[in-house]
Amino acid sequence: MPDTEIELGHSLSKAKLEQPYVDSLEPESFYRDANGTKVEDEDPSTRESSKDEVATKPIIPPRTQKPHTRRSTDDFDSKSLKNEHRSLKKEYEDTRQELRNAWRENREQSLELRDLKKQNTYLKETLRTQADPKSQILNERRKFYEHVDMLEDHIAHLKHQLEKTKLHMDQLTFQTREANEEKAAYEAKLQNLQKQNARLNEDLTECRDDILRLQPPSQIPDSKIAEEYSGLHQQIASWVDDEADDSQTMEARLEELANDKEAPDLLKAYLDPELIRLARKYSEAEPLILRYIIQLHLHRVILADDTYLFGLDEHNITLLRSIEHAMEALEPKRDTLTIQRWRSETLQALAKIDGFQAEQQRQATIVSKDLWAALTYLLPELATDGDSGWKRLHNTVTTPAVQLATNMRFSTSCYRIIAHLPRKSSSSSDHSNNNAIYHPDIQRYTILDVATQKVLRQDSVLKVADDGRIGEYVMVVQPLLLRMQRDSHGGIALCKATVAVKLDEPMAKKAKGVRALGAISSWFGGEQEPVRN
């Protein structure tokens, strides 16, 4: 009974909602005329005829229907047409707006009808449940079991996921353990490699040291030392030729040297009475005397054999010599060559220090100024040049001498400069005068004639005595340069000594016929003996 009432109410509500749009729900006693107005009619046939009449009529609002009368063209003026068009347009807009409103109302009623259907369904379900408690309990139990089944399924799924997670964790633990073991193995291997690398580096260092010990250091060749030595004396000769012009002033100064208390001690130490007498007799010998003074002073101050390194102070020299003596006592023992190599490398490194270079330059400047002061005593005109004079001497003579001395100490070879002539002649061992120069000495030395400053040669026409004497030694203009032998006391001459000699008899002019005869005789072999008068 309640279900029938709910369905009936639902039908009535639906019919009520659809009344404006469903003509079939209207009572049979009503019909709509042409204007859309409901009209009650007892006779249905009359209503049907009325509907037929309305259907045959044109759909024009009553207010716009007018009798169709023929009007002339003048009646249709533009103003009436415009008014009629405006009224039609307004009616069209009103009708369209009404249609839109009807559509909106229809949609709202459709939504309301849907909500009513849902309410009706819910009410039916509630009524059915209230009417049968057993079915409600069964339904609730069914829902409970469904929920329990869903929970069991979810628990089973979670258990499965837990097993998978545990399995994955076991795999990760195993992989982590393997990775840690590999890491430990690699770390141990790395430590071994590092130890091997350290040992190899030590071996490499030892090999390098052995190679450095076995390989001789960069040696300055003898040819370079000889070239610098010859160049130094050429520079001295060039400076003397450019600066020494006034021979009369120098001769007067030499005569006053012995009695002048203000004369430089440097000149008094180097010039003996024999050289002064020689300068008085031969004015051409004055340039040679100047060269002798300069080279002798450079040899004693810069190029001396006992000079460890020019520019190095005594404290450091003593320290280095002490180290060399201590190296001889080491085990295994260091030989002389090893010590010389150590000295060469140590001095080369020392020469790179800016402080040492500055000190060496300072001491070289002092040498130049002292030598310049002594030379200006003999040649007073040099003093007019001021500082430019001693600077020219410094750049031309002293600086090359310092460079030569430094290179000689850098070398592992031992060089000696013999500034005096050996008193023993090469031709005989029992001569009473050891200052005598004999003809074979021309091969040993470069001999200059003091009177003419000419170089004596093997073919020079000389007065030769029965014992071979040609003159007397005066002074050494260019000392002898020797490279000493390591295993013997002798040495190899790199540059011959240049000796000034006072000949017993002046040189005669060469006879062209004799030289020609010597040239002819050379065709038959052998060498022409020197002519002796």
Side-chain angles (χ1 to χ4, degrees):
M1 187 67 176
D3 294 339
T4 307
E5 291 178 355
I6 292 172
E7 291 177 0
L8 180 59
H10 176 66
S11 301
L12 291 176
S13 299
K14 182 177 179 181
K16 185 178 179 180
L17 291 173
E18 294 177 356
Q19 183 178 357
Y21 307 98
V22 182
D23 293 337
S24 60
L25 297 177
E26 294 177 357
E28 293 294 330
S29 61
F30 292 90
Y31 71 95
R32 296 182 182 274
D33 58 3
N35 295 326
T37 306
K38 293 181 180 181
V39 180
E40 185 177 357
D41 188 8
E42 295 295 336
D43 189 3
S45 61
T46 307
R47 186 183 59 185
E48 291 294 332
S49 62
S50 300
K51 289 182 179 180
D52 293 338
E53 290 177 1
V54 172
T56 56
K57 293 181 181 179
I59 304 174
I60 298 175
R63 56 187 178 83
T64 57
Q65 285 184 350
K66 294 181 179 180
H68 182 71
T69 58
R70 185 179 183 83
R71 296 195 301 182
S72 63
T73 307
D74 295 336
D75 294 337
F76 294 96
D77 54 351
S78 60
K79 186 175 182 180
S80 61
L81 289 174
K82 287 181 180 180
N83 292 333
E84 187 176 359
H85 177 266
R86 190 179 297 110
S87 62
L88 291 174
K89 187 175 182 181
K90 184 177 180 182
E91 290 177 3
Y92 172 76
E93 292 296 334
D94 296 339
T95 305
R96 186 175 180 183
Q97 185 63 31
E98 291 177 358
L99 181 60
R100 288 178 179 175
N101 295 334
W103 285 346
R104 189 177 297 110
E105 291 177 358
N106 186 16
R107 188 169 183 279
E108 292 176 355
Q109 290 176 0
S110 298
L111 295 175
E112 185 178 358
L113 179 61
R114 184 184 62 185
D115 294 338
L116 291 174
K117 285 182 177 180
K118 289 181 179 181
Q119 266 183 348
N120 189 17
T121 304
Y122 177 73
L123 292 174
K124 284 183 178 180
E125 185 68 22
T126 304
L127 184 60
R128 187 181 300 110
T129 303
Q130 293 177 355
D132 191 1
K134 186 177 181 180
S135 63
Q136 181 181 2
I137 294 172
L138 293 176
N139 188 21
E140 291 294 336
R141 183 181 296 176
R142 179 178 57 80
K143 289 182 180 180
F144 173 75
Y145 287 148
E146 289 178 356
H147 186 65
V148 169
D149 294 337
M150 183 182 67
L151 291 177
E152 289 178 351
D153 293 339
H154 185 63
I155 291 172
H157 176 70
L158 291 178
K159 288 182 179 180
H160 180 67
Q161 291 293 331
L162 179 61
E163 294 295 331
K164 289 177 63 178
T165 304
K166 287 182 178 180
L167 181 62
H168 184 62
M169 288 296 295
D170 294 338
Q171 292 177 355
L172 292 178
T173 304
F174 180 73
Q175 292 177 0
T176 304
R177 188 181 301 110
E178 288 184 345
N180 291 332
E181 292 175 356
E182 291 180 359
K183 179 182 177 182
Y186 281 124
E187 287 178 351
K189 188 176 181 181
L190 178 61
Q191 291 179 358
N192 293 330
L193 291 176
Q194 289 176 350
K195 292 179 180 178
Q196 293 179 6
N197 189 23
R199 288 195 297 269
L200 291 176
N201 286 332
E202 293 176 358
D203 295 340
L204 179 60
T205 303
E206 292 180 359
C207 291
R208 287 176 179 174
D209 294 340
D210 293 339
I211 291 173
L212 290 176
R213 284 192 292 266
L214 295 174
Q215 182 180 3
S218 57
Q219 175 66 26
I220 299 176
D222 293 341
S223 59
K224 183 177 180 180
I225 299 295
E227 181 182 356
E228 290 183 356
Y229 184 77
S230 299
L232 171 62
H233 287 279
Q234 290 176 5
Q235 291 289 96
I236 295 173
S238 175
W239 185 88
V240 170
D241 293 340
D242 294 339
E243 302 293 341
D245 295 333
D246 193 354
S247 60
Q248 295 180 356
T249 304
M250 181 175 175
E251 182 178 354
R253 289 287 188 175
L254 287 174
E255 292 179 356
E256 299 173 358
L257 181 62
N259 300 324
D260 190 359
K261 295 181 179 181
E262 296 181 356
D265 295 335
L266 185 148
L267 295 179
K268 292 180 180 181
Y270 297 156
L271 295 177
D272 54 14
E274 182 63 27
L275 289 176
I276 296 175
R277 286 193 299 270
L278 182 68
R280 292 175 183 174
K281 185 176 181 180
Y282 302 104
S283 60
E284 295 84 359
E286 293 176 357
L288 297 179
I289 294 174
L290 291 176
R291 290 173 60 183
Y292 170 76
I293 294 171
I294 294 173
Q295 64 86 12
L296 189 60
H297 184 66
L298 293 178
H299 175 260
R300 291 185 177 180
V301 178
I302 298 176
L303 299 169
D305 295 336
D306 59 349
T307 302
Y308 195 85
L309 180 63
F310 179 77
L312 192 62
D313 59 283
E314 291 297 330
H315 175 72
N316 287 320
I317 291 175
T318 304
L319 176 62
L320 293 176
R321 290 188 187 277
S322 301
I323 294 174
E324 291 183 9
H325 292 313
M327 290 177 67
E328 296 176 355
L330 293 177
E331 293 295 338
K333 292 185 177 299
R334 270 61 170 176
D335 56 1
T336 304
L337 180 58
T338 302
I339 296 175
Q340 289 176 348
R341 288 175 178 174
W342 176 85
R343 181 196 305 147
S344 174
E345 293 180 353
T346 302
L347 295 182
Q348 289 183 36
L350 182 62
K352 298 293 184 181
I353 301 175
D354 295 337
F356 170 77
Q357 295 176 1
E359 178 62 20
Q360 190 180 59
Q361 184 65 25
R362 187 187 69 82
Q363 295 187 20
T365 302
I366 294 174
V367 173
S368 298
K369 290 182 178 180
D370 293 342
L371 184 59
W372 175 258
L375 294 176
T376 52
Y377 178 83
L378 298 177
L379 301 173
E381 64 274 7
L382 297 178
T384 59
D385 295 338
D387 291 341
S388 62
W390 74 262
K391 289 181 179 178
R392 285 199 305 273
L393 178 66
H394 178 79
N395 296 329
T396 306
V397 176
T398 309
T399 300
V402 173
Q403 183 64 37
L404 172 63
T406 304
N407 288 336
M408 289 172 64
R409 299 300 179 264
F410 285 170
S411 176
T412 56
S413 301
C414 180
Y415 298 97
R416 288 190 62 190
I417 297 176
I418 310 300
H420 61 276
L421 189 69
R423 297 304 182 184
K424 187 176 180 180
S425 177
S426 62
S427 59
S428 177
S429 60
D430 56 353
H431 295 297
S432 59
N433 188 3
N434 289 333
N435 288 334
I437 298 296
Y438 298 88
H439 193 274
D441 292 334
I442 298 177
Q443 296 179 352
R444 297 178 59 192
Y445 314 118
T446 300
I447 299 178
L448 288 176
D449 181 15
V450 173
T452 61
Q453 295 190 23
K454 291 183 178 180
V455 178
L456 301 185
R457 302 182 184 279
Q458 288 287 340
D459 57 351
S460 299
V461 182
L462 301 172
K463 175 68 177 180
V464 182
D466 295 339
D467 59 354
R469 175 189 169 102
I470 60 175
E472 185 177 1
Y473 159 77
V474 177
M475 59 183 169
V476 176
V477 180
Q478 175 178 326
L480 173 66
L481 176 62
L482 294 177
R483 179 171 63 80
M484 305 307 294
Q485 299 286 350
R486 290 190 177 91
D487 300 332
S488 63
H489 298 288
I492 299 175
L494 300 181
C495 292
K496 295 193 299 184
T498 301
V499 182
V501 176
K502 182 175 66 174
L503 295 176
D504 295 336
E505 294 291 338
M507 282 193 304
K509 293 183 179 180
K510 294 180 181 180
K512 295 183 179 181
V514 174
R515 188 172 65 176
L517 181 60
I520 293 173
S521 63
S522 65
W523 286 96
F524 298 97
E527 184 176 1
Q528 184 70 23
E529 291 291 329
V531 178
R532 298 180 181 179
N533 295 329

